[in-house]
Coordinates of all heavy atoms in Angstrom, one line a residue:
M1 N -13.7 5.1 -6.3 CA -12.8 4.1 -5.7 C -11.5 4.1 -6.4 O -11.4 4.4 -7.5 CB -13.5 2.7 -5.7 CG -14.9 2.6 -5.1 SD -14.8 2.7 -3.3 CE -14.4 0.9 -2.9
A2 N -10.5 3.6 -5.6 CA -9.2 3.4 -6.2 C -8.7 2.0 -5.8 O -9.1 1.5 -4.7 CB -8.2 4.4 -5.7
V3 N -7.9 1.4 -6.6 CA -7.5 0.0 -6.4 C -6.0 0.1 -5.9 O -5.2 0.8 -6.5 CB -7.6 -0.8 -7.7 CG1 -7.1 -2.2 -7.6 CG2 -9.0 -0.8 -8.2
V4 N -5.8 -0.7 -4.9 CA -4.4 -0.8 -4.3 C -3.8 -2.1 -4.7 O -4.4 -3.2 -4.5 CB -4.5 -0.6 -2.8 CG1 -3.1 -0.6 -2.2 CG2 -5.3 0.6 -2.4
K5 N -2.6 -2.1 -5.2 CA -1.9 -3.3 -5.6 C -0.5 -3.3 -5.0 O 0.1 -2.2 -5.0 CB -1.8 -3.4 -7.1 CG -3.2 -3.5 -7.8 CD -3.0 -3.6 -9.3 CE -4.4 -3.7 -10.0 NZ -4.2 -3.6 -11.5
A6 N -0.1 -4.5 -4.7 CA 1.3 -4.6 -4.2 C 2.0 -5.8 -4.9 O 1.3 -6.7 -5.3 CB 1.3 -4.9 -2.7
D7 N 3.3 -5.6 -5.1 CA 4.1 -6.7 -5.7 C 5.0 -7.3 -4.5 O 6.0 -6.7 -4.2 CB 5.0 -6.2 -6.8 CG 5.7 -7.3 -7.5 OD1 5.9 -8.3 -6.9 OD2 6.2 -7.0 -8.6
P8 N 4.5 -8.4 -4.0 CA 5.3 -8.9 -2.8 C 6.7 -9.3 -3.2 O 7.6 -9.4 -2.4 CB 4.4 -10.2 -2.4 CG 3.1 -10.0 -3.1 CD 3.3 -9.2 -4.3
G9 N 6.9 -9.6 -4.5 CA 8.2 -10.0 -4.9 C 9.2 -8.9 -4.9 O 10.4 -9.1 -4.7
L10 N 8.7 -7.6 -4.9 CA 9.6 -6.5 -4.8 C 9.8 -6.0 -3.3 O 10.8 -5.4 -3.0 CB 9.0 -5.3 -5.6 CG 9.1 -5.4 -7.1 CD1 8.4 -4.2 -7.7 CD2 10.5 -5.5 -7.6
C11 N 8.8 -6.3 -2.5 CA 8.8 -5.8 -1.1 C 10.1 -6.2 -0.4 O 10.4 -7.4 -0.4 CB 7.6 -6.2 -0.4 SG 7.5 -5.7 1.3
Q12 N 10.7 -5.2 0.3 CA 11.9 -5.5 1.1 C 11.6 -5.4 2.6 O 12.5 -5.4 3.4 CB 13.1 -4.6 0.7 CG 13.5 -4.9 -0.7 CD 14.1 -6.2 -1.0 OE1 14.9 -6.7 -0.2 NE2 13.7 -6.9 -2.0
G13 N 10.3 -5.1 2.9 CA 9.9 -5.1 4.3 C 10.3 -3.8 5.1 O 10.4 -3.8 6.3
Y14 N 10.5 -2.7 4.4 CA 10.9 -1.5 5.0 C 9.8 -0.9 5.9 O 10.1 -0.1 6.8 CB 11.3 -0.4 4.0 CG 12.6 -0.7 3.2 CD1 12.5 -1.1 1.9 CD2 13.8 -0.6 3.8 CE1 13.7 -1.4 1.2 CE2 14.9 -0.9 3.1 CZ 14.9 -1.3 1.8 OH 16.0 -1.6 1.1
A15 N 8.6 -1.3 5.6 CA 7.4 -0.9 6.4 C 7.0 0.6 6.3 O 6.2 1.1 7.1 CB 7.5 -1.3 7.8
N16 N 7.6 1.3 5.4 CA 7.2 2.7 5.3 C 5.7 2.8 5.0 O 5.0 3.7 5.5 CB 7.9 3.4 4.1 CG 9.4 3.4 4.2 OD1 10.0 2.5 4.9 ND2 10.1 4.3 3.5
C17 N 5.2 1.9 4.2 CA 3.8 1.9 3.8 C 2.9 1.7 5.1 O 1.9 2.3 5.2 CB 3.5 0.9 2.7 SG 4.0 -0.8 3.2
V18 N 3.4 0.8 5.9 CA 2.6 0.5 7.1 C 2.6 1.7 8.1 O 1.5 2.0 8.6 CB 3.2 -0.7 7.8 CG1 2.4 -1.1 9.1 CG2 3.3 -1.9 6.9
V19 N 3.7 2.4 8.2 CA 3.7 3.6 9.1 C 2.8 4.6 8.5 O 2.1 5.3 9.2 CB 5.2 4.1 9.1 CG1 5.2 5.4 9.8 CG2 6.1 3.1 9.9
A20 N 2.7 4.7 7.2 CA 2.0 5.8 6.6 C 0.5 5.5 6.5 O -0.3 6.4 6.5 CB 2.5 6.1 5.1
A21 N 0.1 4.2 6.4 CA -1.3 3.9 6.2 C -1.5 2.5 6.8 O -1.6 1.5 6.0 CB -1.7 4.0 4.8
D22 N -1.6 2.3 8.1 CA -1.7 1.0 8.7 C -3.1 0.4 8.6 O -3.3 -0.7 9.0 CB -1.2 1.0 10.1 CG -2.0 1.8 11.1 OD1 -3.0 2.4 10.6 OD2 -1.7 1.9 12.3
D23 N -4.0 1.2 8.1 CA -5.3 0.6 7.8 C -5.4 -0.1 6.4 O -6.4 -0.7 6.1 CB -6.4 1.7 7.9 CG -6.1 2.9 7.0 OD1 -4.9 3.2 6.7 OD2 -7.1 3.4 6.4
V24 N -4.4 0.1 5.6 CA -4.4 -0.4 4.3 C -3.2 -1.4 4.1 O -3.4 -2.4 3.3 CB -4.3 0.7 3.2 CG1 -4.2 0.1 1.8 CG2 -5.4 1.7 3.4
F25 N -2.1 -1.2 4.7 CA -0.9 -2.1 4.5 C -0.5 -2.7 5.9 O -0.6 -2.0 6.9 CB 0.2 -1.3 4.0 CG -0.1 -0.6 2.7 CD1 -0.2 0.8 2.6 CD2 -0.2 -1.3 1.5 CE1 -0.5 1.5 1.4 CE2 -0.5 -0.7 0.3 CZ -0.6 0.7 0.2
D26 N 0.0 -3.9 5.8 CA 0.5 -4.6 6.9 C 1.6 -5.5 6.4 O 1.8 -5.7 5.2 CB -0.6 -5.4 7.6 CG -0.2 -5.8 9.1 OD1 0.9 -5.4 9.5 OD2 -1.0 -6.4 9.7
L27 N 2.4 -6.0 7.3 CA 3.4 -7.0 7.0 C 3.0 -8.4 7.5 O 2.5 -8.5 8.6 CB 4.8 -6.6 7.6 CG 5.4 -5.3 7.1 CD1 6.8 -5.2 7.7 CD2 5.5 -5.2 5.6
D28 N 3.3 -9.4 6.7 CA 3.0 -10.8 7.2 C 4.2 -11.2 8.1 O 5.1 -10.5 8.3 CB 2.7 -11.7 6.0 CG 3.9 -12.0 5.1 OD1 5.1 -11.7 5.5 OD2 3.7 -12.5 4.0
D29 N 4.1 -12.5 8.5 CA 5.1 -13.0 9.4 C 6.5 -13.1 8.8 O 7.5 -13.2 9.5 CB 4.7 -14.4 9.9 CG 3.5 -14.3 10.8 OD1 3.2 -13.2 11.4 OD2 2.8 -15.4 11.0
D30 N 6.5 -13.1 7.5 CA 7.8 -13.1 6.8 C 8.3 -11.7 6.5 O 9.4 -11.5 5.8 CB 7.7 -13.9 5.5 CG 7.4 -15.3 5.8 OD1 8.0 -15.9 6.7 OD2 6.6 -15.9 5.0
G31 N 7.6 -10.6 6.9 CA 8.0 -9.3 6.7 C 7.7 -8.8 5.3 O 8.4 -7.9 4.8
V32 N 6.7 -9.4 4.7 CA 6.3 -9.0 3.3 C 5.0 -8.3 3.3 O 4.1 -8.7 4.1 CB 6.2 -10.3 2.4 CG1 5.8 -9.9 1.0 CG2 7.6 -10.9 2.3
V33 N 4.8 -7.3 2.5 CA 3.6 -6.5 2.6 C 2.4 -7.3 2.2 O 2.4 -8.2 1.4 CB 3.8 -5.3 1.6 CG1 3.8 -5.7 0.1 CG2 2.7 -4.2 1.8
V34 N 1.3 -6.9 3.0 CA 0.0 -7.5 2.7 C -1.0 -6.3 2.6 O -0.9 -5.3 3.3 CB -0.5 -8.3 3.9 CG1 -2.0 -8.8 3.7 CG2 0.4 -9.5 4.2
V35 N -1.8 -6.3 1.5 CA -2.8 -5.2 1.3 C -4.0 -5.6 2.1 O -4.7 -6.7 1.8 CB -3.1 -5.0 -0.2 CG1 -4.2 -4.0 -0.4 CG2 -1.8 -4.6 -0.9
L36 N -4.4 -4.9 3.1 CA -5.6 -5.2 3.9 C -6.9 -4.8 3.2 O -7.9 -5.5 3.4 CB -5.5 -4.4 5.2 CG -4.2 -4.7 6.1 CD1 -4.3 -3.8 7.3 CD2 -4.2 -6.2 6.5
R37 N -6.8 -3.8 2.4 CA -8.0 -3.3 1.6 C -7.6 -3.0 0.2 O -6.8 -2.1 0.0 CB -8.7 -2.1 2.3 CG -9.3 -2.4 3.6 CD -10.1 -1.2 4.0 NE -9.3 0.0 4.4 CZ -9.6 1.2 4.1 NH1 -10.6 1.5 3.4 NH2 -8.8 2.2 4.5
D38 N -8.0 -3.8 -0.7 CA -7.5 -3.5 -2.1 C -8.4 -2.5 -2.8 O -8.1 -2.2 -4.0 CB -7.4 -4.8 -2.9 CG -8.7 -5.6 -3.0 OD1 -9.7 -5.1 -2.6 OD2 -8.6 -6.7 -3.5
E39 N -9.4 -2.0 -2.2 CA -10.1 -0.8 -2.7 C -10.3 0.2 -1.6 O -10.6 -0.1 -0.5 CB -11.5 -1.2 -3.2 CG -11.5 -2.0 -4.5 CD -12.9 -2.2 -5.1 OE1 -13.9 -2.1 -4.3 OE2 -13.0 -2.3 -6.3
V40 N -10.0 1.5 -2.0 CA -10.1 2.6 -1.0 C -11.0 3.6 -1.6 O -11.1 3.8 -2.9 CB -8.8 3.2 -0.6 CG1 -7.9 2.1 0.1 CG2 -8.0 3.7 -1.8
E41 N -11.6 4.4 -0.8 CA -12.5 5.5 -1.2 C -11.7 6.6 -1.9 O -10.6 6.8 -1.6 CB -13.3 6.1 0.0 CG -14.2 5.1 0.7 CD -15.3 4.6 -0.2 OE1 -15.7 5.3 -1.1 OE2 -15.8 3.5 0.1
E42 N -12.4 7.3 -2.8 CA -11.7 8.4 -3.4 C -11.2 9.4 -2.4 O -10.1 10.0 -2.6 CB -12.7 9.1 -4.4 CG -12.2 9.9 -5.5 CD -11.3 9.0 -6.5 OE1 -11.7 7.8 -6.7 OE2 -10.3 9.5 -7.0
S43 N -11.9 9.6 -1.3 CA -11.4 10.6 -0.3 C -10.2 10.1 0.4 O -9.5 10.9 1.1 CB -12.5 10.7 0.8 OG -12.9 9.5 1.4
E44 N -9.8 8.8 0.3 CA -8.6 8.3 0.9 C -7.5 8.2 0.0 O -6.3 7.9 0.4 CB -8.9 6.9 1.5 CG -10.0 6.7 2.5 CD -10.2 5.3 2.8 OE1 -10.7 4.5 1.9 OE2 -9.9 4.9 3.9
K45 N -7.8 8.4 -1.3 CA -6.8 8.1 -2.4 C -5.5 8.8 -2.2 O -4.4 8.2 -2.3 CB -7.4 8.4 -3.7 CG -6.5 7.9 -4.9 CD -7.2 8.2 -6.2 CE -6.2 8.0 -7.3 NZ -6.7 8.4 -8.6
D46 N -5.5 10.1 -1.9 CA -4.3 10.9 -1.8 C -3.4 10.4 -0.7 O -2.2 10.2 -0.8 CB -4.6 12.4 -1.6 CG -5.1 13.1 -2.9 OD1 -5.1 12.4 -3.9 OD2 -5.5 14.2 -2.8
R47 N -4.0 10.1 0.4 CA -3.3 9.6 1.6 C -2.7 8.2 1.3 O -1.5 8.0 1.6 CB -4.2 9.5 2.8 CG -3.6 8.9 4.0 CD -4.6 8.9 5.2 NE -5.7 8.0 5.0 CZ -5.7 6.8 5.3 NH1 -4.7 6.2 5.9 NH2 -6.8 6.0 5.2
V48 N -3.4 7.4 0.6 CA -2.9 6.0 0.4 C -1.9 6.1 -0.8 O -0.9 5.3 -0.7 CB -4.1 5.1 0.0 CG1 -3.6 3.7 -0.4 CG2 -5.0 5.0 1.2
T49 N -2.0 7.0 -1.7 CA -1.1 7.2 -2.8 C 0.3 7.7 -2.2 O 1.3 7.2 -2.5 CB -1.6 8.2 -3.8 OG1 -2.7 7.7 -4.4 CG2 -0.5 8.4 -4.9
D50 N 0.2 8.6 -1.2 CA 1.4 9.1 -0.5 C 2.1 7.9 0.2 O 3.3 7.8 0.1 CB 1.1 10.2 0.5 CG 0.8 11.5 -0.2 OD1 1.1 11.6 -1.4 OD2 0.3 12.4 0.5
A51 N 1.3 7.0 0.8 CA 1.9 5.9 1.5 C 2.6 5.0 0.4 O 3.7 4.5 0.7 CB 0.8 5.1 2.2
A52 N 1.9 4.8 -0.7 CA 2.5 3.9 -1.7 C 3.8 4.5 -2.3 O 4.8 3.8 -2.5 CB 1.5 3.7 -2.9
R53 N 3.8 5.8 -2.4 CA 5.0 6.5 -2.9 C 6.2 6.5 -1.9 O 7.3 6.7 -2.3 CB 4.7 7.9 -3.3 CG 3.9 8.0 -4.6 CD 3.6 9.4 -5.0 NE 2.8 9.5 -6.2 CZ 2.0 10.5 -6.5 NH1 1.9 11.5 -5.7 NH2 1.4 10.5 -7.7
S54 N 5.9 6.2 -0.7 CA 6.9 6.1 0.4 C 7.7 4.8 0.3 O 8.7 4.7 0.9 CB 6.3 6.3 1.8 OG 5.7 5.1 2.2
C55 N 7.2 3.9 -0.6 CA 7.9 2.6 -0.7 C 9.2 2.8 -1.5 O 9.2 3.3 -2.6 CB 7.1 1.6 -1.4 SG 7.9 0.1 -1.7
P56 N 10.4 2.5 -0.9 CA 11.7 2.8 -1.6 C 11.9 1.9 -2.8 O 12.8 2.2 -3.6 CB 12.7 2.5 -0.5 CG 12.0 2.0 0.7 CD 10.5 2.0 0.5
V57 N 11.2 0.8 -2.9 CA 11.4 -0.1 -4.0 C 10.2 -0.1 -5.0 O 10.1 -1.0 -5.8 CB 11.7 -1.6 -3.5 CG1 13.0 -1.6 -2.8 CG2 10.6 -2.1 -2.7
S58 N 9.3 0.8 -4.8 CA 8.2 1.0 -5.8 C 7.4 -0.3 -5.9 O 7.0 -0.7 -7.0 CB 8.6 1.5 -7.1 OG 9.3 2.7 -7.0
A59 N 7.1 -0.9 -4.8 CA 6.3 -2.2 -4.8 C 4.8 -1.9 -4.8 O 4.0 -2.9 -4.9 CB 6.7 -3.0 -3.6
L60 N 4.4 -0.7 -4.6 CA 2.9 -0.4 -4.4 C 2.4 0.5 -5.5 O 3.1 1.4 -6.0 CB 2.7 0.3 -3.1 CG 3.3 -0.5 -1.9 CD1 3.2 0.4 -0.6 CD2 2.6 -1.8 -1.7
V61 N 1.2 0.3 -5.9 CA 0.5 1.1 -6.9 C -0.9 1.4 -6.5 O -1.6 0.5 -5.9 CB 0.4 0.4 -8.3 CG1 -0.3 1.2 -9.3 CG2 1.8 0.1 -8.8
V62 N -1.4 2.6 -6.7 CA -2.8 3.0 -6.4 C -3.3 3.6 -7.7 O -2.8 4.5 -8.3 CB -2.9 4.1 -5.3 CG1 -4.3 4.4 -5.1 CG2 -2.2 3.5 -4.0
E63 N -4.4 2.9 -8.2 CA -4.9 3.3 -9.5 C -6.4 3.6 -9.4 O -7.1 3.0 -8.6 CB -4.8 2.1 -10.5 CG -3.4 1.7 -10.8 CD -3.4 0.4 -11.6 OE1 -4.4 -0.4 -11.6 OE2 -2.4 0.1 -12.3
S64 N -6.9 4.6 -10.1 CA -8.3 4.8 -10.2 C -9.0 3.7 -10.8 O -8.5 3.0 -11.7 CB -8.6 6.1 -11.0 OG -8.0 7.2 -10.4
S65 N -10.2 3.4 -10.3 CA -10.9 2.2 -10.8 C -12.1 2.7 -11.6 O -12.3 3.9 -11.8 CB -11.4 1.3 -9.7 OG -12.3 2.1 -8.8
Ligands
SF4_101 S1 7.3 0.3 1.9 FE1 7.5 -1.1 0.2 S2 9.2 -2.4 0.8 FE2 8.4 -1.4 2.6 S3 6.9 -2.9 3.4 FE3 5.8 -1.4 2.1 S4 5.8 -2.4 0.1 FE4 7.3 -3.4 1.3

């Protein structure tokens, strides 16, 4: 498993993460990132890591658990 973390204080609402992985990331009504699943399977880790890296303000982290 891998752990997904977001820093809402950094998020600028660009939504790159949502476009890349809408099963893991969403935006709330204020346009701030919400993590829908804070744990993802190892098989999903690369895809979710790519989505996290697409964030222009580095608000997202995916770590091995
Ligand atoms: S890509 Fe980054 S700035 Fe954009 S919504 Fe996701 S976390 Fe927020």
